[in-house]
Each structure stands twice: as C-alpha cells, then as structure tokens.
Amino acid sequence: MTRLDGKVALITGATGGIGTATADLFAEEGARLVLTDRDGAALEELATRLASSGADVLPVRLDVSSAEDWSAAVEAVRERFGVLHVLVTLAGVVDWPGIEGTTEEGWDRVIAVNQKGTWLAMRAVMPLLRASGNGSVVTTSSVLGLVGSGAAAAYQASKGAVRLLTKTAAVEYATQGVRVNSVHPGVVATPMIQEILDEQGDQQPDIVRTPMRRAALPHEIAPAYLFLASDESSYVTGSELVVDGGLTAH
C-alpha cells in the first residue's frame, strides 16, 4: 500500500521546482492530484505527463491571491473528487531588496501571494479538509521565516507570517481532524533563484552559511511534504520541518 493511497491532494505552485517534485512524489505514492498554478500551459503539460503515467490529475489554473479563483477551484474539486485530504501551499514569489530598497508595489505583490495566498487557501479548502475527518495542511515557509538575512524584507516578512499562521491554524483545528504544519527549505536550486546560483556558484552567501555548502535539489525537499501529508505524521501539528543543510544550526 502506498503512503497516500486514497487521498486527494491539492498542490499550489505545482509547476515550480519543489512543486513539480512534490507532485511527482505524491503521484508515485498513490495520491489523486489537484494541481494548480498561474501558468496554464506549464500546468497542462505537467498534468498530461502525470496522467500518462497513470495518475488521476485535475489541473486548475489559479491565482492564489484571488478569492474568486479559490472559490472556483474548490467547486472543481467538489465536482471531480467530492473530497480533499491534503493541501500543500507551494506558490510563492521573492523580492530581494532590504527595507529601504523595497518598493510598495514589490511589498504588496509578495505579501499578496505568499501570505494572503496561504490564508485564502486555508480558508477556501478547510471545509473539505474537516469533512474528510483526516486532513493535512502543509504550508511553505522558509529558513528566512526563522532567521534574518539582512535582505529580502518583504519575503522574510511573508514567510515569518506563514510560520505563525500555520501554528495558529494548527491550534484552531487540532480537535477538528486537520493537522497543519510548515516546511522550511533552505537554499534550493529552483527556477526562482537559479540565475543567482549560476552567477555566484558556491560563493552565494546563503550557501556559504550552509554547513553542507551546497544548494538542495527539489527532490530532496519533496519528502518533507510527503511525510507531513501522510498518516505517518498523525501526531504532528503546529511543527516546523526544517530542510536546510544545516543553515539554521548555527
């Protein structure tokens, strides 16, 4: 029996590096998938590939910062599957400037996607998760939701907010059949930061601060989401699963 057998899982940001790796792993482990992303073409390509391997996949184009899009997505899930067991929030954007360099437009964009988008996701799907009797929410914070870096002010603010939003949701739903936990990746070689990694290599500051002295690959992060989505983590809620090569160990 596979680890997600019988479960329906919704993944936001499914066409990103960690999103695709997580979708692949969840499909291997028997989940029926609701894959969402703003990039409709990439989403259809991913869904077609997974379906050709035997996965039951529903692609839904979605802007996570839009309440209207979330309402439509939930209706699509109800019509196709009638139930939802797992929510994984992987949609995210980054803005690198510090306090004085961050523009109001940049701040609002990051907060809308990373922070508001996570809350909208929880609010929209929680009735389905509660009805399942065994739901799991896995949010994506970051090591930069735990420690400061001196840059990326909007991104760090949003990821710190996701961390505590996760904890308060965990407390709120602890007796309602839904667990809520966060994953905190370190440096990951994804399209979001690949240009920086290509330019700076192992001299990229966060890699220099990482004891393992390398970036993770997306498939090294995906198992964290699998564990928290599966029944193996049945007594885990409100927790932070850090996958950072030791970056926050010192």
Side-chain angles (χ1 to χ4, degrees):
M1 185 174 179
T2 48
R3 296 164 73 183
L4 297 180
D5 188 49
K7 293 187 183 292
V8 177
L10 188 156
I11 301 173
T12 71
T15 69
I18 301 175
T20 297
T22 301
D24 285 340
L25 184 57
F26 278 27
E28 292 173 11
E29 292 293 340
R32 291 173 287 169
L33 295 171
V34 183
L35 303 180
T36 78
D37 204 281
R38 291 188 66 180
D39 188 337
L43 185 62
E44 289 293 339
E45 182 179 348
L46 174 61
T48 298
R49 177 173 65 79
L50 290 173
S52 69
S53 299
D56 190 353
V57 183
L58 171 64
V60 179
R61 193 172 184 277
L62 171 70
D63 175 354
V64 296
S65 67
S66 166
E68 292 77 14
D69 278 12
W70 271 112
S71 294
V74 167
E75 186 57 32
V77 174
R78 290 185 188 277
E79 290 181 3
R80 175 69 172 270
F81 298 115
V83 67
L84 185 70
H85 303 90
V86 178
L87 167 67
V88 174
T89 62
L90 272 160
V93 294
V94 66
D95 194 36
W96 296 111
I99 298 295
E100 295 179 60
T102 298
T103 65
E104 189 171 356
E105 179 184 17
W107 177 274
D108 289 346
R109 172 174 171 265
V110 171
I111 298 302
V113 174
N114 297 359
Q115 180 177 336
K116 179 184 175 183
T118 302
W119 163 66
L120 285 175
M122 289 186 189
R123 188 181 70 166
V125 308
M126 199 60 77
L128 282 171
L129 294 176
R130 285 191 287 107
S132 77
N134 186 22
S136 175
V137 176
V138 190
T139 66
T140 302
S141 181
S142 168
V143 292
L144 298 187
L146 299 170
V147 298
S149 71
Y155 183 79
Q156 294 221 215
S158 71
K159 291 303 185 178
V162 167
R163 171 178 174 261
L164 285 181
L165 176 64
T166 300
K167 290 183 180 297
T168 197
V171 174
E172 181 174 355
Y173 293 101
T175 60
Q176 299 184 51
V178 182
R179 297 178 295 103
V180 191
N181 296 284
S182 55
V183 175
H184 296 251
V187 185
V188 187
T190 67
M192 182 183 292
I193 66 165
Q194 192 60 56
E195 183 177 346
I196 292 174
L197 295 178
D198 289 342
E199 290 177 357
Q200 300 178 2
D202 61 7
Q203 296 307 302
Q204 197 276 333
D206 287 331
I207 291 180
V208 171
R209 294 193 296 128
T210 298
M212 293 183 73
R213 294 302 299 272
R214 67 175 179 85
L217 296 175
H219 75 263
E220 295 179 288
I221 310 298
Y225 294 91
L226 174 60
F227 169 68
L228 292 173
S230 76
D231 292 342
E232 295 169 9
S233 57
S234 60
Y235 197 59
V236 180
T237 197
S239 292
E240 304 159 358
L241 183 44
V242 180
V243 192
D244 70 350
L247 192 153
T248 56
H250 63 87

